[in-house]
Amino acid sequence: GAVVSQHPSWVICKSGTSVKIECRSLDFQATTMFWYRQFPKQSLMLMATSNEGSKATYEQGVEKDKFLINHASLTLSTLTVTSAHPEDSSFYICSAGILGQGHQPQHFGDGTRLSIL
Amino acid sequence: QKEVEQNSGPLSVPEGAIASLNCTYSDRGSQSFFWYRQYSGKSPELIMFIYSNGDKEDGRFTAQLNKASQYVSLLIRDSQPSDSATYLCAVNYNQGGKLIFGQGTELSVKP
């Protein structure tokens, strides 16, 4: 099946640091990638939808200047958490899909656990 | 606001029994429905998806969809302790692929 690689899997850093997370589709071209955040004991919350070659669409309440998303190619999207603070500590998960194939499932990366000290 | 509702559980069943997981959704325009399994500390993995009314079977898993009632369910036959996880229902209401997730149902299968 389709494989989505996410890196790094775990990040621990000091408050104020910017952190970049990469999401790659390894065996298919992903026109659309999604970024989710999951706090303990809660479900996945969609942060933004990233389409290759265009600006990301952010969900209500998500600060686009804090969570920078770049989708420069059909196989790579990046999420940068700028000036991270302890409240940004969470499990960040990306998924990838193909635009127009809404019946087809999204494929998830393994997630990145971000801990801000 | 589009919503997906699940019982948070925990749902406890004995090994070998049938586990029944339920999900309702608010938007009648929803087109595709997905069940994901998530182990603690891991990302979700796809179990099944369905987009036509009726049943869809894959091994020990059966997904059931009733669009008139806005209801989708997942049955797990011959439940095993390794099935213990949180099961997430997700709904895609347009071709853009955006998924709305339920809060998940925690399933515990007791040996």
Side-chain angles (χ1 to χ4, degrees):
Chain A
V3 177
V4 176
S5 173
Q6 189 172 340
H7 177 81
S9 57
W10 194 288
V11 180
I12 301 174
C13 58
K14 294 181 179 180
S15 184
T17 305
S18 292
V19 178
K20 180 185 283 189
I21 302 170
E22 293 187 348
C23 181
R24 294 180 183 274
S25 57
L26 298 184
D27 56 355
F28 69 104
Q29 294 185 324
T31 51
T32 307
M33 289 186 174
F34 303 89
W35 288 95
Y36 296 87
R37 180 168 54 182
Q38 186 176 37
F39 292 106
K41 299 295 185 182
Q42 295 186 23
S43 190
L44 277 72
M45 294 300 296
L46 180 66
M47 299 176 66
T49 302
S50 168
N51 292 306
E52 187 267 337
S54 63
K55 290 184 178 180
T57 302
Y58 290 81
E59 295 300 302
Q60 189 174 5
V62 178
E63 300 175 58
K64 62 180 181 180
D65 294 331
K66 181 169 184 64
F67 299 99
L68 302 179
I69 292 173
N70 183 281
H71 193 161
S73 76
L74 286 170
T75 59
L76 174 64
S77 176
T78 60
L79 167 68
T80 301
V81 184
T82 61
S83 187
H85 289 92
E87 59 267 27
D88 297 321
S89 298
S90 187
F91 190 43
Y92 292 85
I93 313 172
C94 73
S95 71
I98 300 174
L99 191 65
Q101 294 193 10
H103 287 322
Q104 296 304 311
Q106 292 178 23
H107 304 280
F108 284 86
D110 288 337
T112 297
R113 193 160 301 281
L114 176 61
S115 295
I116 308 298
L117 305 178
Chain B
Q1 175 145 352
K2 299 173 175 58
E3 294 182 347
V4 178
E5 297 286 339
Q6 295 179 255
N7 289 326
S8 60
L11 172 66
S12 183
V13 300
E15 184 175 355
I18 296 175
S20 178
L21 304 162
N22 304 314
C23 174
T24 60
Y25 58 95
S26 63
D27 185 10
R28 286 193 173 275
S30 301
Q31 298 184 353
S32 310
F33 308 86
F34 304 85
W35 284 99
Y36 287 88
R37 176 175 63 195
Q38 187 176 27
Y39 292 110
S40 180
K42 302 294 184 182
S43 69
E45 57 178 319
L46 180 71
I47 299 295
M48 292 192 69
F49 67 96
I50 186 169
Y51 51 85
S52 298
N53 272 327
D55 295 359
K56 179 180 179 182
E57 185 174 319
D58 183 1
R60 296 187 295 114
F61 300 95
T62 300
Q64 299 174 317
L65 175 61
N66 184 326
K67 289 187 177 181
S69 300
Q70 295 175 238
Y71 175 91
V72 58
S73 65
L74 179 69
L75 300 178
I76 306 175
R77 291 181 297 282
D78 188 23
S79 296
Q80 301 296 309
S82 58
D83 294 327
S84 298
T86 296
Y87 288 79
L88 299 167
C89 172
V91 174
N92 174 8
Y93 64 92
N94 61 31
Q95 289 290 313
K98 178 177 172 178
L99 293 180
I100 306 298
F101 280 86
Q103 66 267 42
T105 298
E106 183 182 349
L107 172 67
S108 177
V109 180
K110 304 294 187 184

